[in-house]
Amino acid sequence: MTISLAQLRRCSAAVDLGAARTRVYVKNQGLVVDEPSVAAINTRTGALLAVGEQAELMDGRTPDHIRVVRPIAGGTVVDIDMAQRLLRTLVGNGLRKTWRRRPTMRAAVCLPYGSEPLAQRAAVETLTGLGARRVELVDTLVAAAVGSGLPVEQPEATMIVMCGAGTTQVAVLSLGSIVAAESVPVGGNAIDHAVIQHLRQHHELMLASQAVRPLHLILSGGDDLTPGSTEVHGRDVVSGMARSVHVDTERVRDAIITPLTAILDGIGAVLRRCPPDLVADLGERGIMLAGGSALIPGLEPMIHQATSMPVHTADRPDTCAVMGLGAMIEGKVQPLHLDPMAP
């Protein structure tokens, strides 16, 4: 991190290519793009019909000749051409013209921990197609830790759990570098799938994927005012007709415990690889949750119960990575200078 900070200050844009949402931070302007990583195309003509929020509303409601695609999966670009078209439309013509007038425009992009060279190359080519002359690659875990306000450049342990849509990344950082990290293929999509399967098996109800989020918000309430059951609308598995059922919130909580357990296993694996001194620091500082799926109901108390450590959630967990990367390109992060000792 100390070596790359000088290069990051030369960048004029920071990009977070997430499986759920794409975010762009422009130097001296702030966050200018925060849209779903979704595009709708006409399969007959190849025309791009909609992107972002408008395309997400089309998901599951389109005729056969219109297809809703997600060119980014697990923080990795799987379709470079479609990702470029998505970003080009989201950024807008005005900003792209500004970038093209700067022949030395640089951009920084977040990548998941342990990204393969092919994934790194796909991210570089995606931004190069928008006019970037140089692309700096930054680990998402480091950027999210900076965006969460953790002192990652200090000689003390900080732990970040980045809960994404497709994967959950866990890392312990010290002196601006990753000491130990683990990537778990469980995220918000796996939680949604568990809820959908529970309703299908126990209530014979098919639920649209976009209807899972309100159910999550209801489950997140832990006070006495939270109702014991929630009315959910969907389609009957047998008749195909619209039907409403009352779902027991406690049973839904039990249904999502299995995928959440995989996250606990990843946290335990990282802690076992850390030196004892860093684990002792974490006992006082605790664990920071970030990412769009950090507000999964039951996740924070479950981690606290399993680790006996304080667990905190970032103020804006969904934008921690891009805001942390934005702070780096703005020069707001000061590295810890370690001068070599004279012989």
Side-chain angles (χ1 to χ4, degrees):
M1 179 176 174
T2 305
I3 301 176
S4 62
L5 276 178
Q7 299 176 352
L8 288 175
R9 291 193 187 100
R10 302 176 184 175
C11 297
S12 58
V15 182
D16 180 15
L17 299 174
R21 302 184 73 88
T22 295
R23 300 177 176 92
V24 179
Y25 183 101
V26 177
K27 197 171 186 177
N28 300 325
Q29 295 186 29
L31 190 64
V32 297
V33 174
D34 186 1
E35 295 279 348
S37 304
V38 186
I41 60 172
N42 188 328
T43 57
R44 296 173 181 173
T45 62
L48 186 66
L49 302 179
V51 297
E53 297 282 356
Q54 187 177 0
E56 191 175 46
L57 293 175
M58 297 181 182
D59 194 8
R61 299 179 173 87
T62 60
D64 293 338
H65 68 282
I66 297 178
R67 186 163 58 97
V68 177
V69 297
R70 298 179 181 271
I72 304 169
T76 302
V77 178
V78 295
D79 188 340
I80 297 177
D81 179 65
M82 187 55 63
Q84 288 179 348
R85 298 175 68 181
L86 172 69
L87 271 175
R88 190 177 295 114
T89 306
L90 291 177
V91 168
N93 294 328
L95 192 56
R96 283 191 289 113
K97 290 179 180 178
T98 302
W99 285 355
R100 289 185 177 180
R101 284 197 297 265
R102 300 180 59 182
T104 59
M105 195 275 284
R106 297 190 179 195
V109 61
C110 295
L111 285 179
Y113 170 76
S115 296
E116 298 181 354
L118 186 61
Q120 298 177 9
R121 180 178 177 182
V124 172
E125 290 186 3
T126 300
L127 294 181
T128 302
L130 293 179
R133 299 300 182 264
R134 182 180 176 88
V135 179
E136 304 291 346
L137 305 179
V138 181
D139 199 299
T140 303
L141 292 167
V142 178
V146 173
S148 302
L150 297 177
V152 295
E153 71 280 359
Q154 298 298 322
E156 55 188 54
T158 56
M159 190 170 194
I160 184 80
V161 179
M162 187 69 180
C163 306
T167 60
T168 298
Q169 305 171 67
V170 186
V172 173
L173 302 97
S174 180
L175 288 174
S177 300
I178 295 177
V179 178
E182 187 80 16
S183 182
V184 182
V186 173
N189 293 339
I191 307 300
D192 292 347
H193 182 72
V195 175
I196 292 174
Q197 290 301 313
H198 171 78
L199 295 176
R200 184 183 180 94
Q201 294 175 4
H202 295 84
H203 299 277
E204 296 183 349
L205 190 75
M206 293 184 65
L207 190 67
S209 59
Q210 296 172 348
V212 180
R213 296 302 176 184
L215 189 62
H216 279 186
L217 297 178
I218 294 174
L219 289 177
S220 61
D223 52 12
D224 297 335
L225 299 178
T226 303
S229 63
T230 305
E231 186 177 7
V232 180
H233 305 278
R235 190 183 74 179
D236 189 271
V237 174
V238 180
S239 64
M241 304 295 290
R243 185 164 64 93
S244 300
V245 298
H246 287 275
V247 180
D248 188 355
T249 55
E250 289 298 328
R251 291 193 175 184
V252 176
R253 287 192 180 96
D254 294 338
I256 64 177
I257 285 179
T258 300
L260 291 181
T261 305
I263 299 177
L264 298 180
D265 295 338
I267 294 175
V270 171
L271 291 175
R272 286 191 294 270
R273 296 203 300 266
C274 285
D277 292 343
L278 294 183
V279 177
D281 291 343
L282 295 175
E284 300 178 0
R285 182 175 298 278
I287 302 173
M288 180 66 72
L289 300 182
S293 301
L295 300 177
I296 292 176
L299 179 60
E300 185 172 325
M302 181 179 290
I303 294 177
H304 173 69
Q305 183 178 2
T307 61
S308 300
M309 295 180 180
V311 181
H312 313 282
T313 303
D315 295 336
R316 289 292 306 275
D318 52 343
T319 60
C320 279
V322 70
M323 295 305 291
L325 194 55
M328 293 182 190
I329 68 174
E330 294 277 8
K332 298 179 180 179
V333 180
Q334 298 298 327
L336 180 65
H337 296 284
L338 299 176
D339 297 327
M341 297 180 64

